[in-house]
Amino acid sequence: MKKLLLLTITLLINSVVMAQQGGKVSGTVLDENSEPLPFTNVLLMQVSDSSLAKTTTTTEVGDFLLEEIKDGNYFVKISMVGYQDFVSPSFKLSPDSRNFKFEPLKMQQMTNQLAEVQVTAKKPFIEQQIDRTVVNVENSIVSSGNTALEVLEKSPGITIDRQNNALKLKNKNGVLVMIDGRKNYLSNEALMQMLSNMTSDQIASIEIITNPSSKYDASGNSGIINIKLKKNKAFGTNGSLSVSVGDAFVPNSTDDLYRGSTNLSLNHRNQKVNVFGNFNVGRNAFYSDNTLMRSTNFEGLRSEFDQTSRRFGNGIYSSGKAGIDFFASEKTTFGVMVDVNNWDGEMVSTGLTKITEIAGDQITKSSLIPDSERKMENFNFTGNFNIKHNFNEKGKEMTFDADYSSFRNNGFQSFDTKYYNEQEQLTSNLIQRNNTPSNIDIYAAKVDFVIPTESKVKFEFGAKTSFVKTDNDFLFEVQEDSKWITDPGKTNHFIYKEFVNAAYINMGKQWEKIGFQAGLRAEHTKSEGNSITLDKVVPRDYLSLFPTFFLNQKVSENHSLRYSYSRRIGRPNYQQLNPFLFFLDPYTFEKGNEFLNPEFTDNLELTYTFKNAVNLTLGYAHTKDNMFDVIEQDDETRVTYQTSANLDKVENYSANVSFPITVTKWWNMHNNVNVYYARFRDANLSGGVLDIGQTAFNFYTGSTFSLKKGWSAEANMWLNSPQVLGIIKATKYQYSVNMGVQKSLWEKKGNLKLNVNDLFLTSFFNGDINYQNVDLAVTNRWTSRRATLTFTYNFGNQNVKGSRRRSTATEDLKSRAGGNNN
């Protein structure tokens, strides 16, 4: 009897506890491409009167959880700007079934029909998300047939520094460029070459992340640019073929600026395997010119140099990427990927340097004509093995990547410099040549874990190890009496080795209106730069910590705030550390700095978002030992050279606002304005004190027009104001107007796009330097105005779910290597 009474009391207590605990409703919200849809509104409604019972928003991975729900009949309503509202069938919570979990819920983009104009909601060219800016390249008209570099030039906050072959993000150096989450190790010149050979037909979108979490490599002083290549989307077989042809129109340049490319993508997927491949071949042609006015003063002799130079060339590039994903079980996938790139090109350089020497009342004039030819052969290979294992359906997972990358880059250049006196008579002829082979090998492996808990806390942790070896054996020779003699002052064999071992941990928690994440990454770097020719070894061994902090606050339905902090590092690329001299002509060259230190940056950002559409971001960045290109001049030899140095500190204050405007139902705009103040300071730069700053801004506006009968159009414009770049001042406004039109064919299986970049030829650079003994003015033009016609045909099942996006272990390393990697 006592046992029966005790059992009855226990059951009563359990039933009361269960009643007090209430039920749970959970699920995952996906977009039309089966990708997680974060920050979506989820409303729990009562069936009886459609009254609101509870509400929440999805997390960054699209999950939602509603707790403490009373028994009853309910349905959920899910809404998101740009998507059709989703209303679920009704379901019941009862004492027998208190937990209800939806199968993944897929949202559909909004579509409206007008009498004369068909309006289909699609992602804008520029899309502002909570933690990043996304450039949607795949369906853009004005980007079709463009190179990746030309697309980046249209992107908000990004500046192409063609003087120094560098990318800047919000006026800050040190951008980490990634491909599908894989880091690059290219030198600046090789990275620009790679982006110039990668076509927009290969790109789905570009992510611009100014404050990455601890999961990402800490390199990338100003943030990350992640180029996501195209993938496909369901079961079956499909593919696409794109053909582009184009020509450039730059006055007083060269006639041969034609370029064209063919891109083929294939994908096959069934229950067990996914096989994918992308193949691209094309021809690129380019042109650029500079004018340089400078003067030197030494012991009563003033020398004035008026230099002009022209560079033009072309080449054939090809790339192939192939891989297979094997679905060993519902929870485990193995993958193998191979990526091969090749560039075979040539460049011709010519110019004229006029020299005026003034000594008192005596004026002497002379000149020189530097001609050179350069052949470039770059071959890159990357192999990747990866595993992904899902431990359960709650998001607990492990990923592993092992990579090997090699770069085999070779350049051969011949120089023929003729000197003339004031009567234009030939006085001497200097003939030189150099061979610049560069071999880079990269080995890397990484493992990442994601562990969510029942208490809505998510842990992420992982580790990575990498080893890089570069071998540059540069030979410089001069011709004397028909014989080639090695020039020991310009010949150098430089070997660089680097080990980086890293580990990180992130912890995040999502409440109803607050989302929080904090992380810490530790990286130990051990490197050795060895100039065999100079018998000079520079070792380094340091441990660095990189904390990150993010807090998302939903103030109300239409207002939210995001606070973020991160610390990042910018490591010198391998060419910057090589003390070898890179000659342009006898009076102008570039050299590396083997004593160049890495730079460290602390980034703070506050972002306000209104209705998930309008974003205002305030930012501050402090960089210590900023790596910076400086121009120095030897008044005695009259030689000007560029090298890299560390500035004491750089401070950058910025304000960015982005906002869409729906002008009509068929005309949509996206606008972005970035205002910043950059201050550069150093107590001893080239023997002087540098303390300079300037307020500047850049602006982007883009419009899409959805017209009838399959026609659509786009137009955009970017503008950069004059600004200070350390000792260099950009003295004119740079802007570009770009336009394009598209016609859809054969029920959208094909499309034809025509676009023109830099319509008014207004993106060229003018600048000057007036620091210490350097007084210099420079102009630069390049192949900016180009018209391109692109035809694309999609075949097979266009709902094929493509290969997994993976972040391999060597992507961060490639951005510091040399070579081409499409």
Side-chain angles (χ1 to χ4, degrees), residues 39 60 129-132 209-213 515 517 549-555 559-565 604-609 615-618:
F39 313 114
E60 292 182 354
Q129 297 184 0
I130 188 66
D131 63 341
R132 66 195 64 192
I209 311 171
T210 55
N211 254 0
S213 74
Q517 184 189 96
F549 173 84
F550 304 91
L551 180 67
N552 295 333
Q553 179 185 7
K554 186 174 182 180
V555 180
H559 306 274
S560 63
L561 294 169
R562 174 181 168 87
Y563 314 84
S564 63
Y565 163 79
L604 283 166
E605 285 189 352
L606 169 63
T607 300
Y608 163 72
T609 302
N615 291 273
L616 171 64
T617 300
L618 303 178

Side-chain angles (χ1 to χ4, degrees), residues 472-474 490-494 531-534 578-580:
N472 301 310
D473 192 1
F474 294 167
K490 303 180 182 67
T491 295
N492 185 38
H493 188 189
F494 181 75
S531 175
I532 298 174
T533 304
L534 302 177
N578 188 349
F580 173 71

